[in-house]
Amino acid sequence: MPEITYAEAIRSAMSEEMRRDERVFLFGEDIGRYGGAFGVSFGMLDEFGPERIKETPLSEAAIVGAAAGAAMVGMRPIAEIMFMDFILLAMEQLVNQAAKVRFMFGGKASVPMVIRMPAGSGTGAAAQHSQSLESLLIHIPGIKVVNPSTPYDAKGLLLSSIRDPNPVCFIEHKLLYKTKGEVPDEEYIIPLGVADVKREGGDITVVANNIMVSRTLKVAEKLGVEGIEVEVIDPRTLLPLDVDTIVKSVRKTGRLLVIHEACKTGGWAGEVIASIASSPAFDYLDAPMRRLAGKDIPIPYNRNLEWAAIPQEDDIEAEIRAIISTKY
Amino acid sequence: MPEITYAEAIRSAMSEEMRRDERVFLFGEDIGRYGGAFGVSFGMLDEFGPERIKETPLSEAAIVGAAAGAAMVGMRPIAEIMFMDFILLAMEQLVNQAAKVRFMFGGKASVPMVIRMPAGSGTGAAAQHSQSLESLLIHIPGIKVVNPSTPYDAKGLLLSSIRDPNPVCFIEHKLLYKTKGEVPDEEYIIPLGVADVKREGGDITVVANNIMVSRTLKVAEKLGVEGIEVEVIDPRTLLPLDVDTIVKSVRKTGRLLVIHEACKTGGWAGEVIASIASSPAFDYLDAPMRRLAGKDIPIPYNRNLEWAAIPQEDDIEAEIRAIISTKY
Amino acid sequence: MKTVEKLQKTSNEDFKSRMEELDLVDEQLVEMFATMSKIRHFERMADRLYAAGKVHGTMHLSAGQEAVAVGLGATLKSDDYFLNHHRGHGHFIAKNADINRMMAEFMGKDTGYCRGRGGSMHIADIEANNLGANGIVGGGLSLAVGVGLALQMQRMKQIVVVVFGDGAVNEGIFHESMNMAALWNLPILFVCENNQYSMSMHVERATAKLPIAQRAEGYGMKWHYIDGNDLLLVYETMRQAVNDVRSGNGPVFVETETYRYFGHSKSDRNLYRTKEEIDNWRRLDPITRVRKAIVDAGIITEERAEEIDQEALIAIEAAVEFAENSPEPDVNTVEEFVYA
Amino acid sequence: MKTVEKLQKTSNEDFKSRMEELDLVDEQLVEMFATMSKIRHFERMADRLYAAGKVHGTMHLSAGQEAVAVGLGATLKSDDYFLNHHRGHGHFIAKNADINRMMAEFMGKDTGYCRGRGGSMHIADIEANNLGANGIVGGGLSLAVGVGLALQMQRMKQIVVVVFGDGAVNEGIFHESMNMAALWNLPILFVCENNQYSMSMHVERATAKLPIAQRAEGYGMKWHYIDGNDLLLVYETMRQAVNDVRSGNGPVFVETETYRYFGHSKSDRNLYRTKEEIDNWRRLDPITRVRKAIVDAGIITEERAEEIDQEALIAIEAAVEFAENSPEPDVNTVEEFVYA
Ligand SMILES: Cc1ncc(C[n+]2csc(CCOP(=O)(O)OP(=O)(O)O)c2C)c(N)n1
Ligand SMILES: Cc1ncc(C[n+]2csc(CCOP(=O)(O)OP(=O)(O)O)c2C)c(N)n1
Ligand SMILES: [Mg+2]
Ligand SMILES: [Mg+2]
């Protein structure tokens, strides 16, 4: 299978879908000649022209609102929000409008749209350009929240997201754009709402998203050498969350650690832990369930501080070891 | 002690503080002659005049942004957002600006402001005027989130909130405005970050906020007759959360139920459960920790559907009984 | 600093000749009068039902603003797209919505347009391209931009109309939407119903410069500023605006001066305006005015006018009966319709 | 549809007499030229440091726009409040910020204005009433409204200035802020640096009608639209605007036409503009222009001009040295400064 980057995987999903379905168009800031702040749509303007690679003024609220409006009347917009932090300018349109239209109107409308947005720190972009806000989105009924960690997942999940009849928030990670992975040439889709066991293991279940998946896998490799077998689950879709896969795993391992870059307090790890706490897996727990997450601070600019703000491999390793050594 | 309503308690906290501190002013839509959509500031215009009861155009984003700007240069604004649903229009100003200014600028600025906002369903106001969005706010470092359930708490917490040097989201509940309770004439404050044990009991800990507190207390009375002793904890401040009080209680009761009106998925109950899961109280649990929360749907208009969307006394009672009867 | 641009007004003199200029025949005027009466009765009935405890929630009644709804509605094609906000009953009636299903929605019944999920603030008839009322002031504006964009991309002939109040124009989304619409020449008609107040806030206390419509200038958008209680003038202006929009010349903005009689919503104590002010506006009542005009012009008799008004009331009463006899939504379906 | 209102421009003819009209003495012009040179060198150095891997993150350089920063800075009092956005280095230098602490912040050091937490996009000097640069386009606008309101409530004599780009004017918050500022007559100077692009988006592709400044009209706000590469004209206009604002007549809006030489930020491949366009603008370079004018006018010699430029570079190099020798923030303090 050819190796392509995460950014290329996203671009190829968009391009293929735009070739297949003329209702699909890309909508956002600097997505044309510039190719988007991270070059994800680079080159698409040449193929699809300015009407389908529709560049907008700086108006995030109207971008999301207009995407919803277009979706209500038969289009399938892919809106790009340049940094996830800016979805905060469009929360009204996302939460009060896109997410609720169908329900408020008694099931008669639908809003098939995707909002792509890069999250995460690690690029020195400081407090207003580095947030991981997926935990806000999972609290909103009516939308789906997707969050791929590999090129393969990115492509398959984006195809599903574009074809989904609901508003889908598709969260990318800046540090992943240049990472490579195998992606088949043939079309494939990954259904939304299905977690992926990225590594099997019997000693502890780690649920992680985004950039934390590969970090955890590295640590898992290392610990594997010592005979500590870490099962790594990437939920891929955070809403709806595939609780069953996690339950199954925890029943096997008896231990759960949830890792995310997003701030700890109020983060989605709480959702996972609460789901397990009231699930049949609870009885199988051999240790307290724990969270390892971003500190409860805005992301600092300085490189060392930025590094310290979110879980790194060392932190992950230490946390896993601590849990493994607990017995209760 | 005199009995006053929750709305009156809020009004009296604002008025007293405005008399005491000329930097304090009220800022928002229809807060003057109209007295706000729920009459909370009714009459204040006569005492304080239009400069300190500053009515704004419909511009929620600028309301929050301007409050933050005024706070940065020495004022102490109390912004009123007419319905909590509309804070979604001002998330940028709240999250990217007010919450982060201090940190981004290396601790040199501070933003002493309060944003008051009524949450909750039960008034037939449908999907866009009935949300309980506190769970979004607790994920934002740099702000505090306060959520009183009685007139007494409302007054004491609002005084603390106004005097706090940080941005405080002060969440009120529409159905509570007319409820009465004892409030002393003398000044008192309730520190932020301290939970209140509203009822003691040894069989189960219930953590609930807002309108769910009184509902739980009613159920607790009823079960008390049967000898089931429910301990009811109102966190009062959701961020920072007083985990210690909950830990202490769960160590005693061995059972935990968290109740909120907000949608279940991604709701703050997850935070409580995750905090307990990794606390020393975990070892004392005699039953799985559970959540009882609003359904994962927008709030419907029809009265029966609206009723069914969020936990009612029957649901609370059934849930407590179920947990009490579990042994594991 | 405030410059009030000239408000367009007309008088009832020469009503017949104005009708002719506008190619309006008698039946059309009678029909419009009937629709205005229906709206008025719908709103009065809504108020009464609320007082009688038959509905909960809140509602925003448009009595006094009927000429805008009807003058606009009469110029639209049935498949034109439509979006409005909380004070939306009138527009839907004028766009030929089924008052039974509207009333059923208002009363939260399963036969309502939104199966009781939406209520007064969220009536929609998606199949008829009525994309719904919005409870968020300004919430429909960017949706309209999206609809306009879709129509343009799909090379469709329809237009989209979005109606909003004088309060909505101070929301940021108004600005973003106006800019996008003008920039891209979208087929959107922006209709601002300036009823003088946003809740208790008089438009002069909220808006840096009046009339509101002159803001369209800043986007290079065509605009009109008219007396919204003058049915023929509303019709004339909207017809021209609709034609302009439909011919692909980009969006048009129309501001209509009008007034609401009822309080803003049920929580209104009406302390911010005087009885005198309300009475003054009542003297400019759009229904009385058109009724007098068509009677004076000999189009119908006073008796027939009274009959039409009574028929309107009867239709509304029938709608209430329909709604009252309709089932409540099944509580077991409460979790439906969240996802497609 | 687009009407371009007349752009105000001047020529270098009669430079001396224009200076006199403006009560500017030679030393002031020399000072301004020196400050402009310092900004240019700061930006070039920033670019070099980035290329050398000494800073991470992104940055937005203002080379080419120095006349706006300096013409504005020279008209402000030191205790006037100031807010700007991502492309903010120049304004701070022109407002007499300490370049050592700026450079230290840029390099993420503990001696930086924000103790390394903010970086290029969030430099602030709260004590000096420089309330900070904003990474959210338009984010400073409503903050400025709040500052203006506070100044008005506290009966203070200062004004607040907020600088933003041509992209910011399409954000909703621009509209809300303009309306509030005008409605309440707040002491705010709005300065729009129109450098032709918002990232890769040319202002004509983003803005329904130009010039941007005419939008102020819709709020009844005074406005100016000027050549932003003409130092004396910027100074003159800003001085008048500042006086107007300070005298309590409400906000003023100034749009300055200018150009940035560097790419938008580090991710820029510069595909959206031609070398020719850049070269054309370079011919209008604000520093070259003022340097030539003061040399031609005999205020300083060409040699002295060169010296001043070199002194500016040396000052910047010293700032780099200061920054490089400064300590990193202590990682153990990472959780500080979240709450007061
Ligand atoms: C964003 C938002 N802010 C505030 C409200 C509360 N609210 C509902 S209607 C209304 C007044 C709107 O005034 P206007 O736009 O003039 O419409 P009118 O009610 O006069 O028809 C207000 C403040 C809301 N629903 N949405
Ligand atoms: C709300 C928001 N949208 C998008 C961005 C990404 N972004 C940063 S600067 C910029 C261009 C801004 O253009 P302009 O306002 O003209 O300022 P300039 O960069 O030209 O100085 C963009 C799109 C942002 N930071 N904030
Ligand atoms: Mg109004
Ligand atoms: Mg620009």
Side-chain angles (χ1 to χ4, degrees):
Chain A
M1 264 194 292
E3 283 224 329
I4 62 173
T5 67
Y6 185 87
E8 286 161 350
I10 293 166
R11 186 186 313 142
S12 91
M14 293 195 290
S15 298
E16 284 173 25
E17 208 54 13
M18 283 179 68
R19 283 174 211 131
R20 209 185 59 82
D21 183 346
E22 61 175 20
R23 298 168 304 173
V24 180
F25 68 103
L26 186 60
F27 191 55
E29 297 163 4
D30 299 285
I31 54 175
R33 193 57 62 212
Y34 202 101
F38 300 95
V40 176
S41 57
F42 193 72
M44 289 178 68
L45 178 67
D46 290 328
E47 177 172 356
F48 299 103
E51 199 171 345
R52 296 185 71 197
I53 305 295
K54 185 77 179 170
E55 288 197 301
T56 66
L58 300 196
S59 308
E60 286 77 8
I63 290 171
V64 174
M72 284 176 77
V73 299
M75 301 299 287
R76 295 199 161 241
I78 305 172
E80 177 175 302
I81 292 293
M82 198 183 285
F83 286 74
M84 185 177 203
D85 313 69
F86 312 156
I87 192 68
L88 294 166
L89 285 90
M91 287 297 272
E92 194 301 283
Q93 286 67 29
L94 175 61
V95 177
N96 288 334
Q97 310 297 338
K100 294 189 174 44
V101 154
R102 183 175 184 76
F103 185 89
M104 285 191 306
F105 298 155
K108 291 176 190 151
S110 66
V111 189
M113 64 187 274
V114 175
I115 310 177
R116 292 180 37 240
M117 42 195 156
S121 65
T123 67
Q128 294 175 331
H129 287 72
S130 303
Q131 292 168 87
S132 297
L133 297 170
E134 65 271 23
S135 309
L136 307 190
L137 302 177
I138 65 163
H139 191 48
I140 309 303
I143 66 173
K144 298 186 178 178
V145 181
V146 178
N147 194 188
S149 69
T150 67
Y152 180 87
D153 288 351
K155 181 164 181 186
L157 289 167
L158 185 50
L159 286 177
S160 286
S161 299
I162 299 171
R163 294 176 192 178
D164 197 275
N166 300 290
V168 178
C169 292
F170 191 87
I171 303 170
E172 302 163 8
H173 195 288
K174 294 167 202 122
L175 294 185
L176 290 175
Y177 282 130
K178 293 185 179 159
T179 60
K180 287 199 163 186
E182 293 192 338
V183 173
D185 279 330
E186 316 76 63
E187 185 186 301
Y188 65 96
I189 61 159
I190 299 175
L192 305 189
V194 180
D196 188 35
V197 180
K198 294 280 186 219
R199 185 184 198 280
E200 295 195 4
D203 295 326
I204 181 172
T205 302
V206 177
V207 178
N209 72 332
N210 233 331
I211 192 81
M212 293 298 152
V213 175
S214 57
R215 283 195 194 155
T216 304
L217 286 170
K218 278 207 198 124
V219 173
E221 282 312 310
K222 179 171 171 190
L223 294 175
V225 176
E226 296 177 29
I228 300 174
E229 291 303 338
V230 180
E231 179 142 310
V232 182
I233 298 180
D234 176 356
R236 298 198 295 201
T237 304
L238 292 173
L239 179 69
L241 183 70
D242 178 1
V243 178
D244 289 349
T245 297
I246 304 170
V247 167
K248 214 174 114 198
S249 175
V250 174
R251 287 173 79 142
K252 176 176 73 178
T253 65
R255 292 180 168 88
L256 176 64
L257 170 64
V258 188
I259 307 181
H260 55 62
E261 173 174 349
C263 296
K264 183 172 188 173
T265 299
W268 61 266
E271 178 61 32
V272 175
I273 288 176
S275 298
I276 298 305
S278 61
S279 81
F282 190 72
D283 294 345
Y284 294 79
L285 285 171
D286 294 325
M289 300 179 282
R290 292 183 61 90
R291 299 181 280 179
L292 178 63
K295 293 199 165 48
D296 287 326
I297 60 173
I299 297 293
Y301 170 68
N302 172 277
R303 212 187 293 244
N304 304 334
L305 297 184
E306 186 182 26
W307 182 265
I310 71 161
Q312 304 296 340
E313 285 170 32
D314 287 353
D315 306 311
I316 296 173
E317 184 180 333
E319 190 70 32
I320 293 175
R321 287 190 191 279
I323 298 173
I324 292 286
S325 64
T326 333
K327 259 250 130 38
Y328 89 114
Chain B
M1 263 194 290
E3 284 224 329
I4 62 173
T5 67
Y6 185 87
E8 285 161 351
I10 294 167
R11 186 185 313 143
S12 91
M14 292 194 290
S15 299
E16 284 173 25
E17 209 54 12
M18 283 179 68
R19 282 175 212 131
R20 208 185 59 82
D21 183 347
E22 61 175 21
R23 298 169 304 173
V24 180
F25 67 102
L26 185 61
F27 191 56
E29 298 163 5
D30 299 285
I31 55 175
R33 192 58 62 214
Y34 203 101
F38 300 95
V40 176
S41 57
F42 195 71
M44 288 177 69
L45 178 67
D46 290 329
E47 177 173 355
F48 298 103
E51 198 170 345
R52 296 186 70 197
I53 305 294
K54 185 77 179 172
E55 287 196 302
T56 66
L58 299 195
S59 308
E60 286 77 9
I63 290 171
V64 174
M72 283 176 77
V73 297
M75 302 298 288
R76 297 201 159 238
I78 305 171
E80 177 174 303
I81 293 294
M82 198 184 284
F83 286 74
M84 184 177 203
D85 314 69
F86 312 155
I87 193 67
L88 295 166
L89 285 91
M91 287 297 271
E92 194 302 281
Q93 286 67 29
L94 175 62
V95 177
N96 288 334
Q97 311 296 338
K100 295 190 173 42
V101 154
R102 182 176 185 76
F103 185 88
M104 284 190 309
F105 298 155
K108 290 175 192 153
S110 67
V111 189
M113 64 186 275
V114 175
I115 311 178
R116 293 180 36 240
M117 42 195 156
S121 66
T123 67
Q128 294 175 331
H129 286 72
S130 304
Q131 291 167 89
S132 297
L133 297 170
E134 64 272 22
S135 310
L136 307 190
L137 302 178
I138 66 161
H139 192 47
I140 310 303
I143 64 173
K144 298 186 179 180
V145 181
V146 178
N147 193 188
S149 69
T150 67
Y152 180 87
D153 289 349
K155 181 164 180 184
L157 289 168
L158 185 49
L159 286 177
S160 287
S161 300
I162 299 172
R163 294 177 194 177
D164 196 274
N166 300 289
V168 178
C169 292
F170 191 88
I171 303 170
E172 303 164 9
H173 195 289
K174 295 168 199 119
L175 294 185
L176 290 175
Y177 282 131
K178 291 184 181 159
T179 59
K180 288 199 163 186
E182 291 192 340
V183 173
D185 279 330
E186 315 76 63
E187 185 185 298
Y188 66 97
I189 62 158
I190 299 174
L192 304 188
V194 180
D196 188 36
V197 180
K198 295 281 187 218
R199 185 184 198 279
E200 296 195 4
D203 295 326
I204 180 172
T205 302
V206 178
V207 177
N209 72 332
N210 233 330
I211 192 83
M212 293 299 153
V213 175
S214 56
R215 283 195 193 154
T216 304
L217 286 169
K218 278 208 198 123
V219 172
E221 282 312 310
K222 182 173 167 189
L223 293 174
V225 176
E226 296 177 29
I228 301 174
E229 290 303 340
V230 180
E231 179 141 310
V232 182
I233 298 180
D234 176 356
R236 297 197 295 202
T237 304
L238 292 173
L239 179 68
L241 183 69
D242 178 0
V243 177
D244 289 349
T245 298
I246 304 171
V247 166
K248 212 174 117 198
S249 175
V250 174
R251 287 174 80 141
K252 176 174 73 176
T253 64
R255 291 180 170 88
L256 175 65
L257 170 63
V258 187
I259 307 181
H260 55 62
E261 173 173 349
C263 296
K264 183 172 188 173
T265 298
W268 62 266
E271 178 61 31
V272 174
I273 288 175
S275 298
I276 298 305
S278 62
S279 81
F282 190 72
D283 294 344
Y284 294 78
L285 284 171
D286 293 326
M289 300 179 282
R290 292 183 61 89
R291 299 181 281 178
L292 178 64
K295 292 197 165 49
D296 287 326
I297 61 172
I299 298 292
Y301 170 69
N302 172 279
R303 210 187 295 244
N304 304 333
L305 296 184
E306 186 182 27
W307 182 265
I310 72 161
Q312 305 296 340
E313 285 170 33
D314 287 354
D315 305 311
I316 296 173
E317 184 181 333
E319 191 69 33
I320 292 176
R321 287 189 191 279
I323 298 174
I324 292 286
S325 64
T326 333
K327 259 251 130 39
Y328 89 116
Chain C
M1 192 57 101
K2 295 195 180 141
T3 344
V4 176
E5 311 264 337
K6 206 168 151 283
L7 176 71
Q8 259 186 278
K9 281 173 182 271
T10 70
S11 77
N12 269 352
E13 307 264 323
D14 302 321
F15 193 82
K16 261 304 235 204
S17 62
R18 285 183 59 218
M19 278 176 59
E20 273 158 34
E21 275 167 41
L22 294 170
D23 301 315
L24 283 170
V25 298
D26 291 0
E27 290 65 38
Q28 284 173 291
L29 257 294
V30 176
E31 172 83 29
M32 288 194 222
F33 164 61
T35 307
M36 287 169 80
S37 306
K38 221 190 268 178
I39 296 174
R40 180 68 54 92
H41 285 298
F42 190 99
E43 302 298 53
R44 285 200 190 136
M45 183 62 78
D47 187 57
R48 251 175 284 150
L49 290 170
Y50 189 93
K54 295 204 177 172
V55 282
H56 76 157
T58 189
M59 65 198 176
H60 306 84
L61 305 178
S62 66
Q65 310 183 190
E66 294 87 348
V68 182
V70 172
L72 170 63
T75 64
L76 298 177
K77 300 210 168 140
S78 66
D79 64 347
D80 282 331
Y81 285 91
F82 195 85
L83 289 148
N84 59 1
H85 290 82
H86 56 284
R87 202 173 302 285
H89 301 162
H91 315 129
F92 285 130
I93 295 175
K95 242 205 132 215
N96 293 319
D98 176 347
I99 49 174
N100 287 353
R101 295 181 68 195
M102 280 183 66
M103 192 61 85
E105 187 57 39
F106 181 62
M107 297 181 77
K109 297 305 182 79
D110 203 43
T111 53
Y113 270 117
C114 307
R115 303 195 61 177
R117 271 72 178 172
S120 165
M121 246 189 306
H122 307 295
I123 297 180
D125 182 5
I126 304 294
E127 284 142 38
N129 293 352
N130 286 348
L131 300 183
N134 216 303
I136 303 297
V137 172
L141 288 161
S142 60
L143 296 176
V145 169
V147 176
L149 182 63
L151 292 172
Q152 187 181 66
M153 292 176 86
Q154 298 164 347
R155 314 272 184 273
M156 305 289 272
K157 281 272 158 271
Q158 293 113 300
I159 69 167
V160 52
V161 183
V162 56
V163 186
F164 48 94
D166 49 286
V169 303
N170 297 320
E171 294 282 358
I173 197 68
F174 169 79
H175 172 65
E176 298 188 6
S177 302
M178 291 287 283
N179 184 51
M180 276 191 189
L183 183 68
W184 296 335
N185 258 324
L186 300 180
I188 306 178
L189 173 58
F190 292 92
V191 177
C192 177
E193 282 187 296
N194 176 355
N195 61 5
Q196 317 303 317
Y197 291 93
S198 147
M199 219 158 139
S200 67
M201 187 75 156
H202 194 275
V203 63
E204 285 181 8
R205 289 203 299 130
T207 324
K209 184 175 167 185
L210 293 173
I212 290 166
Q214 57 83 30
R215 284 189 179 170
E217 198 75 42
Y219 310 94
M221 196 188 293
K222 242 191 187 171
W223 57 278
H224 306 270
Y225 171 50
I226 61 168
D227 176 0
N229 282 5
D230 177 340
L231 179 68
L232 283 195
L233 181 59
V234 172
Y235 177 83
E236 179 180 0
T237 311
M238 297 297 179
R239 199 179 61 161
Q240 191 191 318
V242 166
N243 280 343
D244 281 346
V245 174
R246 205 181 303 280
S247 61
N249 295 328
V252 177
F253 191 99
V254 182
E255 176 184 357
T256 62
E257 291 265 3
T258 182
Y259 201 76
R260 68 166 154 74
Y261 297 149
F262 286 104
H264 164 72
S265 71
K266 294 319 299 177
S267 67
D268 194 340
R269 305 178 224 208
N270 239 326
L271 299 176
Y272 51 88
R273 53 184 194 173
T274 59
K275 189 170 170 310
E276 201 187 330
E277 178 182 294
I278 302 175
D279 287 347
N280 279 341
W281 276 96
R282 279 200 185 270
R283 273 191 283 277
L284 304 171
D285 184 72
I287 303 186
T288 314
R289 192 163 161 186
V290 74
R291 176 170 168 161
K292 183 167 180 335
I294 56 178
V295 169
D296 286 356
I299 297 172
I300 52 170
T301 61
E302 180 54 37
E303 293 67 41
R304 180 67 195 127
E306 193 52 36
E307 253 173 52
I308 289 171
D309 186 58
Q310 284 309 306
E311 285 161 17
L313 175 57
I314 289 166
I316 298 300
E317 284 167 345
V320 174
E321 206 183 313
F322 171 83
E324 289 195 319
N325 291 331
S326 290
E328 299 273 331
D330 178 355
V331 174
N332 295 316
T333 64
V334 66
E335 292 182 90
E336 286 181 12
F337 308 141
V338 180
Y339 291 95
Chain D
M1 192 55 105
K2 295 194 180 143
T3 343
V4 176
E5 311 263 340
K6 207 170 149 285
L7 176 71
Q8 261 187 275
K9 281 173 182 273
T10 68
S11 76
N12 270 351
E13 310 262 323
D14 301 323
F15 193 83
K16 262 306 244 208
S17 62
R18 286 182 59 217
M19 277 177 60
E20 271 159 33
E21 274 168 40
L22 294 170
D23 301 315
L24 282 170
V25 298
D26 290 1
E27 290 66 38
Q28 284 174 291
L29 257 294
V30 176
E31 172 83 30
M32 288 193 222
F33 164 61
T35 308
M36 288 169 79
S37 306
K38 220 189 269 177
I39 296 174
R40 180 68 54 92
H41 285 297
F42 190 98
E43 302 298 53
R44 286 199 190 136
M45 182 61 78
D47 187 57
R48 252 175 283 151
L49 291 169
Y50 190 93
K54 296 206 176 171
V55 281
H56 75 157
T58 190
M59 64 197 177
H60 306 84
L61 305 178
S62 67
Q65 309 184 190
E66 293 87 349
V68 183
V70 172
L72 170 62
T75 63
L76 298 177
K77 300 211 169 136
S78 67
D79 65 346
D80 282 332
Y81 285 91
F82 195 85
L83 289 149
N84 61 359
H85 290 81
H86 55 284
R87 204 173 301 285
H89 301 163
H91 314 130
F92 286 131
I93 295 175
K95 241 204 134 216
N96 292 319
D98 176 347
I99 49 173
N100 288 353
R101 296 182 67 195
M102 280 183 65
M103 193 61 84
E105 186 57 37
F106 182 62
M107 298 183 76
K109 297 305 181 79
D110 204 43
T111 52
Y113 271 119
C114 307
R115 304 195 59 178
R117 270 72 177 172
S120 165
M121 246 188 306
H122 307 294
I123 297 180
D125 182 5
I126 304 293
E127 285 143 37
N129 293 352
N130 286 350
L131 300 183
N134 216 303
I136 303 297
V137 173
L141 288 161
S142 60
L143 297 176
V145 170
V147 176
L149 182 63
L151 291 173
Q152 187 181 67
M153 292 176 86
Q154 298 165 347
R155 314 271 183 274
M156 305 290 272
K157 282 271 158 272
Q158 293 113 302
I159 69 166
V160 52
V161 183
V162 56
V163 186
F164 48 94
D166 50 287
V169 304
N170 297 320
E171 294 283 358
I173 197 67
F174 169 79
H175 173 64
E176 297 188 5
S177 302
M178 291 286 284
N179 184 52
M180 276 191 189
L183 183 68
W184 296 334
N185 258 324
L186 300 180
I188 306 178
L189 173 57
F190 291 92
V191 177
C192 177
E193 282 186 295
N194 176 356
N195 61 5
Q196 317 304 315
Y197 291 93
S198 147
M199 218 157 141
S200 67
M201 188 75 155
H202 194 273
V203 62
E204 285 181 7
R205 291 202 299 130
T207 325
K209 185 176 166 184
L210 293 173
I212 290 165
Q214 57 84 31
R215 284 189 178 169
E217 198 75 43
Y219 311 93
M221 195 188 293
K222 241 191 189 170
W223 57 279
H224 305 270
Y225 170 49
I226 61 167
D227 176 359
N229 282 6
D230 177 340
L231 179 68
L232 283 195
L233 182 58
V234 172
Y235 178 82
E236 179 180 1
T237 311
M238 296 297 180
R239 200 179 61 161
Q240 190 191 319
V242 166
N243 280 343
D244 281 346
V245 173
R246 205 181 302 279
S247 61
N249 295 328
V252 176
F253 190 100
V254 182
E255 176 184 358
T256 61
E257 291 266 3
T258 183
Y259 200 76
R260 67 165 155 75
Y261 297 149
F262 286 104
H264 163 71
S265 71
K266 294 319 300 178
S267 67
D268 193 341
R269 303 178 226 207
N270 238 327
L271 300 175
Y272 51 86
R273 52 183 194 173
T274 59
K275 189 169 170 310
E276 200 188 329
E277 178 183 295
I278 302 175
D279 288 346
N280 279 341
W281 275 96
R282 280 199 184 271
R283 275 191 282 276
L284 305 171
D285 185 72
I287 302 185
T288 314
R289 191 162 161 185
V290 74
R291 176 170 170 160
K292 182 166 181 335
I294 56 178
V295 170
D296 287 356
I299 296 172
I300 53 171
T301 62
E302 180 55 37
E303 293 66 42
R304 180 68 196 127
E306 194 52 37
E307 252 174 53
I308 289 171
D309 186 58
Q310 284 309 308
E311 285 161 17
L313 175 58
I314 290 165
I316 298 300
E317 284 167 346
V320 173
E321 204 184 316
F322 171 84
E324 290 196 318
N325 292 331
S326 290
E328 299 273 332
D330 177 355
V331 174
N332 295 317
T333 64
V334 65
E335 291 182 271
E336 285 180 14
F337 309 140
V338 180
Y339 290 96

